[in-house]
Amino acid sequence: MREVSITTEFIKLDALLKFAGAVGTGGEAKEAVQAGQVAVNGEVCTQRGRKCRPGDRVDFAGECYLLCG
């Protein structure tokens, strides 16, 4: 599990994937989310603009990212 620290109240899901280094570009993040390859707190999420907050867990490509504030 990789911890990702943010200094804001939330971060959008596609921006989180890019910020965490899970994808190389925002376009890759958009495609992955829309294809149903990303889960937030155990549920598949296809909304790339979903607000992720500290405490949320994001799973993508065999990696787990835990948001910290």
Side-chain angles (χ1 to χ4, degrees):
M1 182 176 299
R2 295 177 52 190
E3 291 187 358
V4 179
S5 294
I6 60 173
T7 57
T8 56
E9 180 184 346
F10 66 86
I11 185 170
K12 291 184 179 180
L13 181 56
D14 58 348
L16 168 65
L17 293 175
K18 186 175 175 187
F19 179 70
V23 295
T25 66
E28 289 178 26
K30 176 182 173 182
E31 289 179 14
V33 173
Q34 290 179 336
Q37 299 174 355
V38 183
V40 179
N41 297 326
E43 295 182 19
V44 173
C45 182
T46 56
Q47 299 173 332
R48 64 187 178 112
R50 185 191 191 285
K51 295 177 181 177
C52 298
R53 294 180 162 79
D56 284 346
R57 173 186 164 149
V58 176
D59 294 292
F60 172 67
E63 292 285 338
C64 175
Y65 304 91
L66 180 64
L67 265 74
C68 302

